[in-house]
Amino acid sequence: MLYSSFRRSNVLKTVIFVFLLTFLVYPTEPADAAITANWGDVVDVHYFRYNNPDYSGVAEDNNIEYIYLSAGSTVPANILALFPDASAGYFSDFKSGIIGLAVDGTNRFTALESGTYYYFDVTLLTIRYDAVVEGSTSSTTTTTTTNSINDPLGGLGNIILFGGGGAIIAGGLLSWAIISYRRNQVLSTETSTISRRQESIKQSKTKLKELRELAEARGSDSVEKKTVNSSDIKFRRRK
């Protein structure tokens, strides 16, 4: 009964531990996901352009600000209202090489423009405008700003989150160890109780056997004595 109680408690705590661990892991993925450049964003980059396909011979070393990432060359009016210096007048392979980069991320790629190959090493410096582009193949696009997930506590929020997760994991492991220890104690106690009970039964059987043998021995002595006494009786003849 006691072992079953510990077993149920063990299962319950395991389920709670798995649930809390899942709750911890699931929301941290979007929160920790890096914001990357995408079509419709306005970004600043630094680039090297090389003369050779092995990326040797620097031809240009420059920064470009307010690049509007669009498959076309037109910047929508609402973007220009926010960033008057924004420009989409860069060839498409160059802008494609920026897509997917996080801030301080670097991409080395080859761009083809008008039959000529260009070799770039581009680093994303800033995402000035983060947007979702609908119909990126069109030169005139409609943009809407995205809602990025901000941590109001800054880096402290992640520390608290992961610290809490570590505490949950440590508590779960400690609980597991305590339950295992108690279960082993219960099993040991049950085993000892059974052994003592078996030993007691064995001793009782041994005593009963000894008593039975003693009783049988006394019975035999009594019969033998009676027989001996009977043989000593002398009969006298009556006159």
Side-chain angles (χ1 to χ4, degrees):
M1 180 66 70
L2 187 58
Y3 171 70
S4 299
S5 176
F6 278 123
R7 188 174 182 180
R8 287 194 297 270
S9 177
N10 190 6
V11 172
L12 179 61
K13 290 184 178 182
T14 301
V15 171
I16 294 174
F17 170 69
V18 172
F19 174 77
L20 291 175
L21 185 61
T22 304
F23 178 77
L24 171 69
V25 172
Y26 178 76
T28 58
E29 183 178 355
D32 294 338
I35 299 174
T36 58
N38 208 337
W39 297 110
D41 293 352
V42 178
V43 300
D44 298 345
V45 301
H46 175 270
Y47 73 92
F48 292 100
R49 182 173 67 84
Y50 299 92
N51 293 321
N52 304 308
D54 61 351
Y55 298 92
S56 63
V58 176
E60 290 185 69
D61 177 0
N62 198 9
N63 287 354
I64 304 178
E65 297 180 344
Y66 299 101
I67 300 174
Y68 178 67
L69 298 176
S70 171
S73 58
T74 303
V75 181
N78 60 325
I79 300 299
L80 284 175
L82 295 173
F83 307 99
D85 295 329
S87 173
Y90 306 94
F91 49 88
S92 60
D93 281 0
F94 179 78
K95 290 181 286 187
S96 296
I98 303 172
I99 300 299
L101 287 179
V103 174
D104 295 329
T106 299
N107 186 24
R108 179 172 285 185
F109 58 93
T110 301
L112 177 63
E113 179 68 14
S114 301
T116 303
Y117 289 98
Y118 298 91
Y119 310 102
F120 289 101
D121 196 336
V122 176
T123 300
L124 181 63
L125 301 178
T126 306
I127 298 177
R128 293 182 179 270
Y129 179 77
D130 184 17
V132 176
V133 177
E134 298 176 0
S136 60
T137 56
S138 173
S139 59
T140 304
T141 58
T142 303
T143 62
T144 57
T145 57
T146 58
N147 295 322
S148 59
I149 301 175
N150 295 319
D151 183 1
L153 298 178
L156 183 60
N158 288 333
I159 294 174
I160 294 174
L161 185 62
F162 286 105
I168 291 173
I169 294 173
L173 293 176
L174 180 60
S175 175
W176 189 288
I178 292 174
I179 291 172
S180 298
Y181 175 73
R182 290 181 177 176
R183 182 181 60 187
N184 291 334
Q185 280 190 325
V186 170
L187 290 175
S188 178
T189 302
E190 290 181 352
T191 302
S192 299
T193 302
I194 293 172
S195 298
R196 288 195 299 269
R197 191 173 300 169
Q198 290 176 344
E199 184 66 24
S200 177
I201 293 172
K202 185 177 178 180
Q203 290 177 357
S204 298
K205 287 182 177 179
T206 302
K207 289 181 180 179
L208 286 174
K209 184 178 179 181
E210 291 174 352
L211 289 174
R212 189 180 297 114
E213 290 176 350
L214 180 61
E216 291 176 353
R218 287 182 176 178
S220 298
D221 292 343
S222 177
V223 172
E224 185 178 354
K225 185 175 181 181
K226 183 177 181 181
T227 303
V228 172
N229 292 335
S230 297
S231 62
D232 291 340
I233 299 176
K234 293 181 179 180
F235 296 92
R236 296 180 180 181
R237 184 177 298 180
R238 296 179 63 182
K239 293 180 179 179

